[in-house]
Amino acid sequence: MQTRGEYDHKKIERSWQEKWKEQELYKTHESDEKEKCFVLDMFPYPSGEGLHVGHPKGYIATDIYSRFQRMNGKAVLHPMGWDAFGLPAENYAIKNKVHPKVSVDKNIARYKEQLSIIGPDYDWSREINTTDPGYYKWTQWIFLQLFKKGLAYESNEPINWCPSCQTGLANEDLEDGKCERCGSVIVKKPMRQWVLKITDYADRLLNDLETLDWPESIKVSQRNWIGRSEGAEIDFEISGIGDPVTVFTTRPDTLFGATYLVLAPEHKLVDGFKKNITNWGEVEKYREETKKKDEIERTAEGKEKTGVLLQGVRAINPATKKEIPVYIADYVLDHYGTGAIMAVPAHDKRDFDFALKYDLPVICVVEPYDFDQNLVPRIVSDISDEDSQKIYEEIIVGKRCFEGKGRSIHSNIYDGLSSDEARGKITDSFGRKKITYKLRDWVFSRQRYWGEPIPIIHCESCGVVPVPENDLPVVLPEVESYAPTGTGESPLADIDEWVTTTCPSCGGKGKRETNTMPQWAGSSWYYLRYMDPQNTSALVSREREAYWNTVDMYVGGAEHATRHLIYARFWHKFLYDIGVVSTLEPFTRLQHVGLIMGEDGRKMSKRYGNVVNPDEIVVTYGADSLRVYEMFMGPFDQNISWNTDSIMGSRRFIERVWKMGKKVSSEKDSQSSPEALSALHVAIKKVTEDISAFKFNTAISALMVCNNTFEKTNVSKKDFSLFLQLLAPFAPHITEELWSGMEGEGSIHVAPWPRAEEKYLVSDNVTIVIQVNGKMRGEMQVTRGETKENIIGLARKVEGVGKWIDGKVIVKEVFVPDKLVNFVVKEHST
RNA sequence: GCCCGGGUGACGGAAUAGGUAGACGUAGGGGACUUAAAAUCCCCGGCCCUAAACAGGCGUGCGGGUUCGAUUCCCGCCUCGGGCACCA
């Protein structure tokens, strides 16, 4: 595309960007007179590939939002930084023998340049970088506080190990049992690692979701991830052996139907039963096989259940007092609940399948029953009474599994109770209430180089000793080779002079912890650092924290729902508990940005060759056009394909505004016409509402409609300037340029936001729609507020209406003031 | 399997305390300007019927229902996207 005429976006955009920088127009100012507004983007990992047009979408939105807030008189904090620890830089280092720091700095410079040409209002003086020792000092400091409170602990449990990345991973880093990053199948590997006790915060993480203005889908994801379930723990005595088996169940009401127990193969009690088990060889073999299977095999195998009977071990059902067999089976997971279940095949599909295979008794203890209607309901809809009866009979005799609630039977004194009543009473008699979570503690150590060193020293005599806070940061040392050792130790283990140190506690010989923190560490608290980035004595000062308080608007991808957004909430709550922050939640309001897909409908990626570079778009169309286009594409949170043709529409709009601006400023100033005033104030109202609600596409549409009206009528300089202000957050350069040629003083970006005046919003005339039997048959203009009688009288005479009502009986006349009339008619009965 | 979202012209999408479906934009068609093209400006633009216009009919994934009136509310399906998943 050629640039023609006077509108030279390159020149205008570059010169304003320079001026804003000189004037420090976007510098953050704390002010007690102003309300504050903290607007934040999820900060990027500066990858070597640079930005594609999808990346700026969220950044443009926060830019619009923060500019809007500034014009509304708020003290705005809108910063940017870099989440720069992580595997890609490290892998690049291994391949090319370049220190990650070098490539990271280079990538940051490129990112910053690419971002800057889009014209954002970031206050770069508050830029942060998670790999700065001055920054990660505080990441390490938080770890020490967690350690001191017993929330960071060493564990030797088997963890998720990625054989390709050669590091342990947290549950959150997996996707279908594969490494989220490289797709390798994860294996379970027992090794020493650091774990954070996020499960202590499970309830608070769950409950406080209620207080947040977040998309429901993200809240639901977090609820699923935390996975709270209420139930009971029940002890089953083992005949002739001391230790009972404790099971967790959400259906204590089915206790009378528990006909066997199942333990996870890894369950500790299995070893305790060893001397009683007569088929130990078989048991051991099954346990070995289970251990060999990776997560995929164990779960994907799905349907066909396997297990081994523990011969010689018999449990006693505390309700029926009957002896029941005990199995180990890999469909029971050691890490969930108590690692043991009571199997109720009549009321659990999995137990039912297992019982069928091993020929175990199925005893129905809950019959389908509807207490509201006092009858046996249809279990399956759309079937005949006979079939329904047949299903009912199968359930009663244990030939079919029924997982629903109903009425207790075969349950002694509990017979006749509803499932909910039975649940409570049986729990009271035979067990105790218990709540479990799917959420597991956060495996926090990585056996890699490019991360924050965990500030711990291992002393031969004192054991695990935290690095004194005064010695922070523990700086990441230079290494010869960045490659993981593969032995479960990080490359840091090879640096003797770094590893060997003195114990801060006894002064004896100590060794540094060589594991590093996961990528999520630095991003779990970074928003706080923007409040006070230069502070060397605290991660944030009390005053600054008190002022900025919490992030008012947080924007980023939905893929962080169960990773970053859970970790950060966890750390924030911990920092609240130790008095560092004064709020319970870090992000009050969250909007998630939909992806910009490639023109082919696939995810934009080098691999598909569908990447569009924003730099080129800015060169060709200008930053303002790019910004307007990305916001105009569709609803902000929706995934939409890029279309280079369509950007023309935004470019044309910008050019038309330019022409209008030139016309208005060059001609003699005139009064705005009523149409222009009405269009302007409708736009003010709409744009104001829509920016607040993140509905940028309709805001831009309203601006287009307004400008289209202006082109056909007279607009004063003053009113056109108001229009420019509405457009300013979206297209900051062209509006500043035109503003400077009008009467505007100073920068348009700090001019007070326009207010819609009610008198221009309502017109005296309204259009009344005339319907006959609900179908539109005509319309007419009348003055606002006409009575029903007058309107109906007029409506009958409107052209094209008569033939629908003449000779018919009017049954009813529906009237909606200032909107419509509807004649309900029918034929004359003869 | 369970839980969330969605399905509207050729395309991106507007409009839901029930009240003119298709705003705005892209692509397309026609015209003006031009030696010509690009750009710009004006007009058309859901489908059927019609030479065309008018009139009429149909139309918001499918099938029912409530209502004077349903894209919007209710019931039952189909389908796409996402989250969780042998979680007891």
Side-chain angles (χ1 to χ4, degrees), chain A residues 622-778:
Chain A
D624 285 338
S625 297
L626 174 70
R627 293 169 61 109
V628 168
Y629 173 60
E630 293 212 357
M631 293 301 102
F632 184 61
M633 288 175 85
F636 180 66
D637 59 0
Q638 200 165 299
N639 297 347
I640 300 174
S641 292
W642 177 265
N643 185 313
T644 300
D645 283 341
S646 290
I647 197 176
M648 242 354 262
S650 301
R651 166 75 190 194
R652 283 191 195 121
F653 169 59
I654 293 290
E655 280 184 24
R656 287 165 73 162
V657 170
W658 177 261
K659 274 188 214 163
M660 266 312 289
K662 288 294 156 189
K663 186 178 150 215
V664 170
S665 61
S666 64
E667 288 174 2
K668 210 178 114 213
D669 200 13
S670 61
Q671 289 273 305
S672 294
S673 68
E675 300 85 64
L677 279 167
S678 165
L680 173 66
H681 286 268
V682 166
I684 293 173
K685 185 164 188 280
K686 181 79 177 148
V687 172
T688 306
E689 287 167 0
D690 282 356
I691 293 179
S692 307
F694 261 53
K695 285 158 77 174
F696 306 113
N697 55 331
T698 48
I700 291 167
S701 162
L703 289 165
M704 287 171 167
V705 172
C706 182
N707 192 58
N708 289 350
T709 307
F710 283 179
E711 285 175 348
K712 295 180 193 119
T713 181
N714 278 333
V715 193
S716 68
K717 285 194 171 69
K718 179 181 127 279
D719 290 327
F720 188 74
S721 296
L722 289 173
F723 169 81
L724 286 178
Q725 285 187 261
L726 299 180
L727 180 60
F730 300 89
H733 309 92
I734 187 177
T735 50
E736 184 82 303
E737 176 75 15
L738 290 172
W739 175 268
S740 72
M742 301 270 176
E743 60 196 37
E745 283 174 27
S747 169
I748 190 170
H749 301 299
V750 290
W753 189 255
R755 304 277 156 217
E757 287 179 50
E758 201 61 30
K759 63 180 170 185
Y760 299 119
L761 293 175
V762 286
S763 64
D764 297 337
N765 293 318
V766 289
T767 304
I768 300 280
V769 169
I770 301 147
Q771 297 182 335
V772 178
N773 286 348
K775 288 205 166 70
M776 188 201 161
R777 298 300 183 190

Side-chain angles (χ1 to χ4, degrees), chain A residues 237-311:
Chain A
E237 297 300 331
I238 303 297
S239 303
I241 303 177
D243 292 333
V245 171
T246 303
V247 304
F248 173 73
T249 177
T250 53
R251 291 295 301 274
D253 55 303
T254 63
L255 177 60
F256 283 82
T259 52
Y260 59 98
L261 295 189
V262 187
L263 308 189
E266 306 92 334
H267 200 287
K268 288 188 201 83
L269 274 180
V270 177
D271 294 307
F273 296 152
K274 185 172 175 181
K275 60 180 186 297
N276 301 70
I277 295 172
T278 55
N279 58 336
W280 182 250
E282 204 187 339
V283 169
E284 212 169 17
K285 189 170 160 239
Y286 186 77
R287 295 178 90 190
E288 280 304 314
E289 280 168 9
T290 305
K291 212 184 273 179
K292 270 186 228 150
K293 289 182 196 167
D294 59 48
E295 204 77 345
I296 301 257
E297 285 174 295
R298 194 167 157 175
T299 55
E301 219 170 345
K303 317 289 173 270
E304 181 73 4
K305 303 232 173 335
T306 61
V308 173
L309 176 65
L310 301 183
Q311 285 172 17

Side-chain angles (χ1 to χ4, degrees), chain A residues 161-219:
Chain A
W161 175 263
C162 174
S164 157
C165 297
Q166 304 232 351
T167 183
L169 294 172
N171 243 9
E172 287 79 10
D173 297 320
L174 310 193
E175 223 165 61
D176 295 327
K178 294 179 188 159
C179 174
E180 180 263 336
R181 180 164 293 283
C182 71
S184 310
V185 175
I186 294 302
V187 294
K188 285 285 177 187
K189 187 168 172 175
M191 58 185 296
R192 183 189 69 85
Q193 82 256 206
W194 284 94
V195 181
L196 301 187
K197 226 169 173 180
I198 189 171
T199 52
D200 271 14
Y201 284 74
D203 249 331
R204 288 165 68 187
L205 289 170
L206 182 69
N207 294 338
D208 290 350
L209 282 173
E210 306 297 331
T211 67
L212 300 175
D213 183 4
W214 284 20
E216 196 53 34
S217 62
I218 293 189
K219 290 194 192 181

Side-chain angles (χ1 to χ4, degrees), chain A residues 219-410:
Chain A
K219 290 194 192 181
V220 169
S221 291
Q222 292 211 352
R223 279 188 205 111
N224 283 341
W225 191 259
I226 294 166
R228 181 184 199 267
S229 55
E230 261 177 69
E233 279 186 356
I234 298 171
D235 297 331
F236 283 67
E237 297 300 331
I238 303 297
S239 303
I241 303 177
D243 292 333
V245 171
T246 303
V247 304
F248 173 73
T249 177
T250 53
R251 291 295 301 274
D253 55 303
T254 63
L255 177 60
F256 283 82
T259 52
Y260 59 98
L261 295 189
V262 187
L263 308 189
E266 306 92 334
H267 200 287
K268 288 188 201 83
L269 274 180
V270 177
D271 294 307
F273 296 152
K274 185 172 175 181
K275 60 180 186 297
N276 301 70
I277 295 172
T278 55
N279 58 336
W280 182 250
E282 204 187 339
V283 169
E284 212 169 17
K285 189 170 160 239
Y286 186 77
R287 295 178 90 190
E288 280 304 314
E289 280 168 9
T290 305
K291 212 184 273 179
K292 270 186 228 150
K293 289 182 196 167
D294 59 48
E295 204 77 345
I296 301 257
E297 285 174 295
R298 194 167 157 175
T299 55
E301 219 170 345
K303 317 289 173 270
E304 181 73 4
K305 303 232 173 335
T306 61
V308 173
L309 176 65
L310 301 183
Q311 285 172 17
V313 179
R314 305 282 288 177
I316 297 159
N317 181 322
T320 62
K321 308 293 180 206
K322 280 188 190 153
E323 278 202 347
I324 56 173
V326 181
Y327 285 79
I328 55 170
D330 66 4
Y331 81 93
V332 174
L333 308 171
D334 194 42
H335 54 70
Y336 184 74
T338 61
I341 62 156
M342 64 177 206
V344 186
H347 305 293
D348 183 285
K349 188 71 174 47
R350 296 155 301 182
D351 299 342
F352 186 76
D353 292 344
F354 191 85
L356 279 190
K357 180 164 171 183
Y358 293 99
D359 201 23
L360 293 156
V362 182
I363 298 172
C364 175
V365 294
V366 178
E367 62 169 343
Y369 194 78
D370 185 332
F371 279 89
D372 293 335
Q373 297 182 44
N374 284 319
L375 50 77
V376 175
R378 291 282 170 85
I379 291 98
V380 186
S381 58
D382 284 341
I383 56 166
S384 67
D385 285 347
E386 295 88 71
D387 288 345
S388 183
Q389 179 63 27
K390 216 173 113 196
I391 288 173
Y392 176 77
E393 279 159 16
E394 283 175 7
I395 288 169
I396 295 296
V397 300
K399 286 206 170 123
R400 181 187 270 260
C401 174
F402 171 61
E403 296 189 297
K405 287 182 185 175
R407 179 162 69 177
S408 288
I409 55 169
H410 302 144

